[in-house]
Amino acid sequence: MKNPEAQQDVSVSQGIRVMFYMMKPNETSFRTLEEVPDYVKKATPFFISLMLLELAVSWIRKGKPPGRVDDSLTSMSAGILSRLPRLFSRSIELTSYVYIWENYRLIGLPWDSPWTWYLTFLAVDFGYYWFHRMAHEVNIMWAGHQTHHSSEDYNLSTALRQSVFQVYTSWIFYSPLALFIPPSVYAVHLQFNLLYQFWIHTEVIGNLGPLELILNTPSHHRVHHGRNRYCIDKNYAGTLIIWDRIFGTFEAESEKVVYGLTHPINTFEPFKVQFHYLIYIWTTFWATPGFFNKFSVIFKGPGWSPGKPRLGLSEEIPEVTGKEVPFSSLASQLLKIYAVVQFALLLAFYEDTFADKAALSQVTLLLRVCFILLTLTSIGLLLDQRPKAALVETLRCLVFLTLWRFGHLKPFIPSLSLAFEGSVV
């Protein structure tokens, strides 16, 4: 067995290979769950590096960036929101899995066997396919997953636009694996499956030839993110596109894809992006007569209403013309630069909080999370040009000074400490 202390380190070579599911069984097999590195947390530098590379390639090829500042900030804000619960507890995808493994497992496959590793790769990817498919076909699950589809751009930042509460349903589809696959092996592949899907969110990579037959690729996933009629409910794959080919949900990329929800939400406010559809379900539930109809509002497809098939009618999906104009912020360029700077500072603060969470008190952690939420909200309000945006931003700055004064956070440039002291005194 490897030294548990050494296993917490992920080299640059491993970090790059992790993003493409190119790790080997002998370097990613661990006896216990505690020894498994947090590959997702350690991937932040690689996320940023690949986004900068995508920016450079797009600028060289097309003379423009691959997306818009407002949309990218919103996507990355959603990514931060989705990870905040991890500051307080282990993911339910792991806690539920461990509970089943410890109490109901039928057999225990060897954790250090390559056969177990490859079987888990297939099993997790198969589970993801069915979770992803149900997230499009069950309304209450779509309420979480729609966050990821709400971007009207398609670039690497879109991959980070994750739901806060999607994990509270996804665990169900992986739980059968706990009957025989050790938690440590499962935890590795759960992360690898997620990280693989980062690089396929781009328009700078075209058709990949024979790889398109087996792997989920940028071309296949562009179709999945489209709101064209031919794109709806297609290509649910995580890593392997073979599941879509087997179960009849595959569609090749043909006409130009228009991205986003069939009914765009037209906002950059992070909480609206996350929760607006839950509010829609709530109001629809109470407005729909009959117990079984109310039940169907929750558990049938997003397009269902009384008298329609389970998944709704395809002819009711709005046609796209190719001339759709994505919703954009009316904020000035100067204000957008300000938002980018504040977000960059917040990202550093977010990383610092995760790095120091073991040494921070629960009160400090809670206050830091509240400050992160306030900052993301303020940035969204500024981009949406809401009337109270300036007031909220002023409040946020005052909260920052207060938290710093009482030792709950710190400026990242040490030389700024004197300036903050002067401003508080």
Side-chain angles (χ1 to χ4, degrees), residues 92-390:
I92 190 174
E93 288 177 318
L94 291 178
T95 54
S96 60
Y97 193 95
V98 169
Y99 177 81
I100 296 171
W101 168 262
E102 291 179 345
N103 294 279
Y104 301 106
R105 72 175 178 266
L106 302 177
I107 59 171
L109 296 180
W111 64 271
D112 54 352
S113 167
W115 291 106
T116 302
W117 197 94
Y118 287 113
L119 174 64
T120 309
F121 159 63
L122 290 173
V124 167
D125 202 47
F126 181 73
Y128 177 82
Y129 170 85
W130 283 106
F131 152 68
H132 195 185
R133 183 167 175 173
M134 291 302 102
H136 282 256
E137 296 186 1
V138 177
N139 211 20
I140 192 64
M141 294 177 65
W142 173 246
H145 190 60
Q146 60 79 31
T147 298
H148 182 61
H149 283 265
S150 60
S151 173
E152 294 183 84
D153 291 341
Y154 189 76
N155 52 56
L156 292 179
S157 72
T158 308
L160 304 178
R161 189 178 285 226
Q162 297 294 322
S163 167
V164 171
F165 60 94
Q166 181 171 282
V167 294
Y168 298 104
T169 55
S170 60
W171 67 271
I172 299 169
F173 297 84
Y174 301 120
S175 56
L177 308 186
L179 298 175
F180 55 97
I181 293 175
S184 61
V185 187
Y186 164 73
V188 166
H189 288 279
L190 188 66
Q191 294 185 80
F192 288 0
N193 191 275
L194 175 65
L195 291 171
Y196 175 88
Q197 295 178 57
F198 178 76
W199 75 274
I200 62 177
H201 289 81
T202 185
E203 291 189 295
V204 303
I205 298 176
N207 189 285
L208 295 179
L211 293 179
E212 303 280 341
L213 297 174
I214 301 172
L215 296 176
N216 192 14
T217 64
S219 176
H220 296 329
H221 206 58
R222 284 193 289 270
V223 171
H224 179 72
H225 272 259
R227 66 183 201 236
N228 314 54
R229 286 186 178 178
Y230 88 95
C231 298
I232 301 299
D233 295 339
K234 299 296 182 181
N235 299 2
Y236 297 113
T239 304
L240 300 174
I241 199 66
I242 59 173
W243 310 122
D244 287 287
R245 295 184 184 278
I246 291 171
F247 296 110
T249 52
F250 175 75
E251 187 70 42
E253 186 176 22
S254 54
E255 63 187 71
K256 179 177 172 55
V257 178
V258 178
Y259 303 107
L261 300 171
T262 56
H263 299 88
I265 57 176
N266 297 339
T267 184
F268 300 112
E269 290 185 43
F271 283 95
K272 281 192 175 182
V273 170
Q274 293 284 343
F275 301 115
H276 78 96
Y277 198 79
L278 274 178
I279 297 172
Y280 168 77
I281 288 180
W282 176 261
T283 55
T284 304
F285 177 87
W286 290 110
T288 302
F291 172 80
F292 289 105
N293 284 336
K294 290 182 185 295
F295 184 86
S296 297
V297 166
I298 298 174
F299 295 105
K300 289 188 178 180
W304 179 87
S305 61
K308 295 179 184 176
R310 182 176 68 88
L311 299 180
L313 298 169
S314 60
E315 56 265 30
E316 291 185 350
I317 299 171
E319 293 262 21
V320 299
T321 64
K323 299 179 181 179
E324 286 75 12
V325 178
F327 175 74
S328 295
S329 173
L330 297 177
S332 67
Q333 289 300 114
L334 189 62
L335 189 57
K336 288 181 181 179
I337 292 172
Y338 176 82
V340 169
V341 170
Q342 295 305 315
F343 184 85
L345 293 172
L346 177 72
L347 186 60
F349 175 69
Y350 162 83
E351 287 293 315
D352 180 74
T353 299
F354 266 91
D356 294 345
K357 70 176 182 178
L360 298 175
S361 69
Q362 288 294 299
V363 172
T364 297
L365 270 180
L366 183 61
L367 290 172
R368 285 188 171 208
V369 167
C370 289
F371 179 71
I372 290 171
L373 296 177
L374 180 59
T375 301
L376 295 178
T377 299
S378 182
I379 291 173
L381 292 172
L382 289 171
L383 292 175
D384 270 3
Q385 291 288 274
R386 299 286 177 171
K388 295 182 180 179

Side-chain angles (χ1 to χ4, degrees), residues 11-26:
S11 68
V12 174
S13 169
Q14 288 176 326
I16 294 172
R17 287 185 290 123
V18 159
M19 302 299 292
F20 300 95
Y21 223 132
M22 296 175 66
M23 298 290 276
K24 301 175 183 177
N26 64 350

Side-chain angles (χ1 to χ4, degrees), residues 411-421:
F412 296 102
I413 303 175
S415 60
L416 290 180
S417 294
L418 291 176
F420 285 126
E421 288 174 6

